[in-house]
Amino acid sequence: MSKFIGYVGTYTKGDSKGVYTFTLDTDEQKIEDVKLAATLGNPTYVTVSQDNRFLYSVIKDGESGGVAAYEIDSQTGDLKPVNHNVSEGASPCHVSVNQANNQVLTANYHKGTIELYSVNSQTGGIESSQSVVSHQGKGPHERQEKPHTHFSGFTPDERYVVAVDLGIDKLITYAVENGSLHEVSSLSVRPGSGPRHIAFHPNGKHAYLMTEISNEVVVLAYDSSNGSFTELQYISTIPEDFTENSQGSAIHISKDGKFVYAANRGHNSIAVFQVNEATGELTLVEMASSKGDWPRDFVFDPSEKFIVGSNQESSNLVLYARDEQTGKLTLIDSDITVPYPVCVKFLHS
């Protein structure tokens, strides 16, 4: 297969109307057929169910926010609305779905909460909110005046839920018992680092935490028996002499577990790290230009021979070729227009 369907979540300001779709032709090495797939407010993060039947998006609806469900036409990539579930207040910033497609998680930056929803695995529809957890505390940085949950997702074995909170410098692990979230472990990282997103190594023993405020990757050992994390290494994602504003954004790891990639908004780069197979620790390979302003996210294509990046403030997608041996990125095209792109996802291969 040489053509892969992707989706882009956006901020609906300027010309942006919602979720966009595109096709990556890996033979021709180009992105084509960029078009609007669903009209909705601020779908800044989207996720695709493991069976490619459904797409879930965060949604802003007037003064309310929540999550929306769409049915995917796997041939065309078109999205058909199923339903949405919203509540009063700010919309979430992150959404994830479990492999059985019967539970969806959201993280809410403004509310400092994570929320677990039940899903009808047949229709894909979002049903009731099962559990809401509100974090407590603050951090030393001016942006840490209260909790700011930026990520919630399932651990690789789906025994636990992990939440990353930028406002309180914490990584919190929850068990799901009878539809309710119960804290089982927490890790406090360096004060003022502002953790944002996490990626698990395919071996299930390590994880990589991206910090937004300090622009670092924290290498963690993960104990799947109890959901706990231990710090192993801190490594910067920007040059030591870079003193302008930069905020860490997305972090992803290759399926072979050999390379970790992390994006920097402000420095406008994607840092590439090689993973030490024995220890899980990282060594910097290169910092590739994002070829645009404020790289909010990026994604491996299903072949992992390419990466597609999104630059929020310059409204462009960027296509790179990825060397699977060295991890290095080579620019192919940076002139793909999508208004205010945030999150990028592909259908699973």
Side-chain angles (χ1 to χ4, degrees):
M1 183 175 177
S2 64
K3 289 192 176 185
F4 300 110
I5 293 172
Y7 295 93
V8 187
T10 70
Y11 273 112
T12 47
K13 53 186 180 179
D15 295 333
S16 178
K17 305 295 184 204
V19 176
Y20 290 78
T21 183
F22 65 89
T23 301
L24 170 64
D25 186 325
T26 56
D27 288 344
E28 298 291 327
Q29 297 195 4
K30 68 179 183 180
I31 287 174
E32 53 195 10
D33 299 332
V34 178
K35 60 187 178 183
L36 183 66
T39 302
L40 70 164
N42 279 359
T44 52
Y45 210 89
V46 301
T47 192
V48 175
S49 66
Q50 197 62 43
D51 60 8
N52 290 333
R53 289 178 62 203
F54 305 105
L55 177 141
Y56 298 96
S57 173
V58 301
I59 180 176
K60 183 180 188 297
D61 185 12
E63 297 301 309
S64 297
V67 58
Y70 290 85
E71 189 173 1
I72 298 171
D73 184 320
S74 59
Q75 300 302 310
T76 65
D78 291 348
L79 298 177
K80 178 183 172 185
V82 177
N83 75 338
H84 60 267
N85 189 318
V86 298
S87 56
E88 192 175 332
S91 54
C93 63
H94 189 273
V95 61
S96 55
V97 60
N98 67 348
Q99 291 184 22
N101 199 51
N102 60 13
Q103 289 180 321
V104 158
L105 278 166
T106 61
N108 196 305
Y109 179 88
H110 295 286
K111 292 180 177 179
T113 58
I114 65 169
E115 191 159 357
L116 179 69
Y117 296 87
S118 57
V119 174
N120 184 316
S121 57
Q122 298 304 309
T123 67
I126 304 290
E127 295 181 338
S128 59
S129 168
Q130 292 182 294
S131 185
V132 183
V133 176
S134 298
H135 293 166
Q136 305 296 323
K138 60 182 181 178
H141 191 271
E142 62 183 7
R143 291 184 52 208
Q144 297 179 308
E145 80 290 357
K146 64 177 184 177
H148 290 302
T149 320
H150 221 307
F151 171 97
S152 62
F154 298 90
T155 57
D157 61 7
E158 298 197 339
R159 284 187 63 193
Y160 299 106
V161 163
V162 174
V164 180
D165 198 306
L166 179 150
I168 58 175
D169 294 317
K170 273 190 176 181
L171 183 60
I172 305 172
T173 309
Y174 296 92
V176 181
E177 296 168 4
N178 300 318
S180 293
L181 294 160
H182 299 280
E183 183 177 329
V184 294
S185 182
S186 77
L187 173 72
S188 293
V189 294
R190 286 179 183 169
S193 57
R196 176 185 171 97
H197 274 204
I198 191 169
F200 282 87
H201 194 284
N203 67 14
K205 297 175 183 176
H206 295 104
Y208 301 89
L209 185 67
M210 182 67 175
T211 69
E212 177 170 329
I213 297 173
S214 65
N215 293 269
E216 293 172 294
V217 177
V218 188
V219 181
L220 304 166
Y222 174 61
D223 185 340
S224 60
S225 69
N226 60 16
S228 66
F229 294 87
T230 309
E231 296 163 310
L232 297 177
Q233 179 192 21
Y234 283 74
I235 186 167
S236 181
T237 61
I238 57 174
E240 284 183 20
D241 58 0
F242 187 81
T243 56
E244 297 167 48
N245 175 44
S246 190
Q247 298 176 21
S249 59
I251 185 164
H252 300 292
I253 185 168
S254 57
K255 281 179 189 164
D256 61 13
K258 293 181 178 178
F259 298 99
V260 168
Y261 296 77
N264 303 296
R265 299 167 296 175
H267 186 251
N268 291 344
S269 62
I270 298 176
V272 183
F273 298 95
Q274 186 162 13
V275 178
N276 180 311
E277 289 186 34
T279 66
E281 294 187 355
L282 301 180
T283 306
L284 181 68
V285 174
E286 67 169 353
M287 293 178 189
S289 169
S290 70
K291 294 296 178 179
D293 188 20
W294 217 245
R296 186 68 180 257
D297 195 14
F298 59 92
V299 67
F300 299 98
D301 83 301
S303 74
E304 297 212 336
K305 292 175 177 160
F306 300 90
I307 278 181
V308 178
S310 63
N311 290 298
Q312 180 184 310
E313 294 306 308
S314 49
S315 292
N316 66 311
L317 298 185
V318 182
L319 179 61
Y320 304 90
R322 187 180 85 91
D323 188 313
E324 295 171 277
Q325 302 307 310
T326 66
K328 290 185 176 181
L329 302 179
T330 302
L331 176 69
I332 296 173
D333 187 5
S334 59
D335 295 325
I336 305 138
T337 300
V338 174
Y340 300 101
V342 178
C343 171
V344 196
K345 289 283 185 287
F346 277 99
L347 292 182
H348 307 287
S349 60

